[in-house]
Amino acid sequence: MEELTLRIEGLPLERILSARPGEPQLHGALTVAVQGSVTTLEPSQLARSLTATGTLRLDEAKVENLNVLRSVFEKISVLPGL
């Protein structure tokens, strides 16, 4: 059995998420801590043999280019008669 530890601190979301111009974009810093184990390193069985637990934290989160009222009204407009 192989033990695994993964820790990522303060990864800017802009480095892993992309958005089209004018669409909402999530900003912030991602922190991940995972500990786990695998019973085999055979590539075809790796996903089935992996067990892990961890935490995920998003610091300084903000959403740009999101009009909350427009989003609410778009959802309401799917109801007939409103």
Side-chain angles (χ1 to χ4, degrees):
M1 184 176 297
E2 301 291 327
E3 297 293 320
L4 304 171
T5 300
L6 171 68
R7 184 159 186 86
I8 300 171
E9 292 189 31
L11 177 65
L13 288 178
E14 296 81 17
R15 295 183 68 184
I16 57 175
L17 298 177
S18 62
R20 295 183 193 113
E23 287 189 352
Q25 171 110 24
L26 181 62
H27 296 276
L30 182 66
T31 298
V32 178
V34 177
Q35 295 211 332
S37 61
V38 292
T39 56
T40 180
L41 296 177
E42 175 67 32
S44 64
Q45 299 295 318
L46 188 62
R48 290 187 185 115
S49 68
L50 175 66
T51 58
T53 60
T55 59
L56 178 86
R57 188 178 77 224
L58 182 58
D59 296 317
E60 302 173 18
K62 68 177 182 176
V63 179
E64 289 184 350
N65 296 325
L66 177 64
N67 185 326
V68 175
L69 273 178
R70 180 184 302 148
S71 296
V72 168
F73 286 129
E74 285 174 353
K75 298 296 181 195
I76 291 175
S77 69
V78 299
L79 300 172
L82 290 178

